[in-house]
Amino acid sequence: MHITDYLWQRLQALLPGELAPHEASGLIRPCGHMPLMQQRRARMIINRVRLFATLFAILTPLWIAVDTLTLPFPLWLELAALRLVATLAFVALIVWYPQESRLRSAYRGMATLFAIPTLFFVASHLLLSHYQLAGVSAAIGTGYAFLPFVLLAGFAIFPLTLLENLAFAMPMLAAFARPD
């Protein structure tokens, strides 16, 4: 017995009657899904991209108040500028993103949604690295380091296969793992 067969049997034992062996490929790769299912997944992804872009467009500028109260003047102003640029990018995604129900369009929207905070993370990390923060400022500065984990957890709300998750996670992980 191959290790993959053994692992598959153990996984099926956790979910009896949930998934037939021939259905497993639908969880691993996006190819081979029925057209109706592809269209439905695309619509779900696009709707969730728009929802989260809206939430980020609202919450991103609100955090400027926290930065203003806890970080030194030149730093909070630079971060505020970054936050406003990110907010405009989220608004642009909401307003101008097409509503077509195709996976290619859904992938593009999702890539854009995750690229905005990824770029924000990289830029904010570069800014924060020039400052020696202490006390509450250090705690807020450290909070910025958790953004990658929040983004990766965000994949859970999207109906993606294993290979799709890996394809979206790898560029983000590469951006977060870059040498300082």
Side-chain angles (χ1 to χ4, degrees), residues 2-90:
H2 291 96
I3 187 74
T4 55
D5 293 333
Y6 174 75
L7 290 174
W8 179 247
Q9 287 178 355
R10 296 295 297 167
L11 181 60
Q12 278 191 304
L14 296 173
L15 304 167
E18 295 286 326
L19 191 64
H22 68 278
E23 295 172 325
S25 67
L27 296 177
I28 296 171
R29 54 189 169 86
C31 314
H33 290 151
M34 297 181 308
L36 183 60
M37 184 175 176
Q38 287 180 352
Q39 186 178 21
R40 179 68 180 133
R41 281 189 340 113
R43 173 61 40 209
M44 290 173 71
I45 291 170
I46 289 170
N47 288 343
R48 289 171 185 174
V49 163
R50 294 176 66 79
L51 171 68
F52 278 86
T54 302
L55 290 172
F56 288 151
I58 294 167
L59 297 175
T60 299
L62 291 178
W63 197 261
I64 292 172
V66 174
D67 288 344
T68 302
L69 294 172
T70 59
L71 298 174
F73 166 68
L75 177 58
W76 74 255
L77 186 61
E78 293 168 324
L79 287 171
L82 282 176
R83 286 186 175 283
L84 292 175
V85 168
T87 299
L88 289 175
F90 287 126

Side-chain angles (χ1 to χ4, degrees), residues 33-163:
H33 290 151
M34 297 181 308
L36 183 60
M37 184 175 176
Q38 287 180 352
Q39 186 178 21
R40 179 68 180 133
R41 281 189 340 113
R43 173 61 40 209
M44 290 173 71
I45 291 170
I46 289 170
N47 288 343
R48 289 171 185 174
V49 163
R50 294 176 66 79
L51 171 68
F52 278 86
T54 302
L55 290 172
F56 288 151
I58 294 167
L59 297 175
T60 299
L62 291 178
W63 197 261
I64 292 172
V66 174
D67 288 344
T68 302
L69 294 172
T70 59
L71 298 174
F73 166 68
L75 177 58
W76 74 255
L77 186 61
E78 293 168 324
L79 287 171
L82 282 176
R83 286 186 175 283
L84 292 175
V85 168
T87 299
L88 289 175
F90 287 126
V91 169
L93 180 59
I94 297 162
V95 172
W96 288 302
Y97 198 72
Q99 289 289 324
E100 54 197 46
S101 295
R102 292 191 335 240
L103 276 175
R104 176 172 276 164
S105 180
Y107 292 156
R108 233 183 351 262
M110 197 171 151
T112 304
L113 176 70
F114 282 97
I116 297 166
T118 299
L119 293 172
F120 175 82
F121 167 78
V122 171
S124 65
H125 183 73
L126 291 172
L127 284 175
L128 288 163
S129 68
H130 297 308
Y131 290 87
Q132 295 293 341
L133 302 175
V136 174
S137 296
I140 295 299
T142 302
Y144 277 86
F146 289 104
L147 184 58
F149 301 107
V150 173
L151 288 176
L152 290 173
F155 286 130
I157 63 148
F158 293 94
L160 300 173
T161 64
L162 177 64
L163 292 178

